[in-house]
Amino acid sequence: MGDILEEAGAVVSCRQCPWYKNCLTPMHVSAEDITQFRLMMQGSNLPDSARSQMEDVLENIASMSQNMILQSCPIFTQRLKDDPRIAQRIKQMMQDWRKEEESGE
């Protein structure tokens, strides 16, 4: 009976979550984030050329992070931690995608 209540509680928590049905999203670095970093850099004692290079590096990192890093819902993350079988099933699904593409399904 406890398992049923826990699962029902998880479903309710999931539906109330602002991430509902979007458990994973690409990392997002907004223009505002970059502007805040630039403001912080203005207060530093770095020469202008070094500051410019740091801004370029930040913009490159922000661009790459959107392709490589995912943010995940806290409930989804907790479920993965609590039950390694879920992570294994997801891993298996991802491995099977390649097989399906090769077989033409």
Side-chain angles (χ1 to χ4, degrees), residues 31-46:
E32 183 179 312
D33 296 330
I34 293 172
T35 301
Q36 285 181 335
F37 180 77
R38 285 185 176 145
L39 289 172
M40 290 185 332
M41 291 297 294
Q42 287 176 352
S44 68
N45 294 329
L46 293 173

Side-chain angles (χ1 to χ4, degrees), residues 1 7 11-12 14 17 28 37 42 63 65-66 79 83 85 87 102-103 105:
M1 183 71 166
E7 186 59 30
V11 169
V12 169
C14 200
C17 180
H28 180 71
F37 180 77
Q42 287 176 352
S63 175
S65 72
Q66 291 178 345
R79 286 180 177 176
D83 190 352
R85 294 174 300 170
E102 290 172 355
S103 67
E105 291 180 10

Side-chain angles (χ1 to χ4, degrees), residues 78-95:
Q78 191 59 48
R79 286 180 177 176
L80 288 175
K81 288 178 181 177
D82 290 346
D83 190 352
R85 294 174 300 170
I86 295 172
Q88 184 59 39
R89 285 175 36 201
I90 293 170
K91 179 180 176 182
Q92 189 62 49
M93 286 171 47
M94 292 176 72
Q95 290 171 343

Side-chain angles (χ1 to χ4, degrees), residues 22-87:
N22 293 295
C23 297
L24 295 173
T25 60
M27 183 79 157
H28 180 71
V29 179
S30 68
E32 183 179 312
D33 296 330
I34 293 172
T35 301
Q36 285 181 335
F37 180 77
R38 285 185 176 145
L39 289 172
M40 290 185 332
M41 291 297 294
Q42 287 176 352
S44 68
N45 294 329
L46 293 173
D48 288 340
S49 62
R51 188 175 306 136
S52 175
Q53 288 176 347
M54 287 293 290
E55 287 177 4
D56 290 344
V57 167
L58 174 70
E59 288 178 13
N60 288 333
I61 290 172
S63 175
M64 288 186 335
S65 72
Q66 291 178 345
N67 294 326
M68 298 175 61
I69 300 173
L70 294 175
Q71 294 177 308
S72 67
C73 155
I75 293 170
F76 180 70
T77 302
Q78 191 59 48
R79 286 180 177 176
L80 288 175
K81 288 178 181 177
D82 290 346
D83 190 352
R85 294 174 300 170
I86 295 172

